[in-house]
């Protein structure tokens, strides 16, 4: 029982969370650009 829990904990600690958050941040920034352009086009340039 405790061996399975420690294996699960080791799996989470071995993940490089910093890289995941950096990629997530870059992804959100990349997606935000076209969203703003689409909103501008949809509202005829009136934000």
């Amino acid at each position: 029982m405790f061996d399975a829990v420690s294996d699960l904990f080791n799996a989470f600690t071995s993940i490089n969370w910093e890289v995941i958050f950096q990629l997530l941040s870059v992804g959100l920034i990349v997606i935000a650009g076209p969203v703003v352009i689409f909103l501008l086009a949809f509202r005829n340039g009136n934000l």
Side-chain angles (χ1 to χ4, degrees):
M1 175 64 183
F2 289 114
D3 191 37
V5 172
S6 67
D7 286 344
L8 185 65
F9 186 72
N10 286 336
F12 278 114
T13 56
S14 65
I15 295 173
N16 195 347
W17 292 105
E18 185 177 354
V19 171
I20 291 175
F21 286 128
Q22 286 177 352
L23 289 174
L24 185 65
S25 298
V26 169
L28 289 174
I29 291 168
V30 166
I31 290 170
V35 167
V36 169
I37 300 298
F38 176 76
L39 280 174
L40 279 169
F42 183 71
R43 299 181 60 164
N44 295 325
N46 182 15
L47 280 179

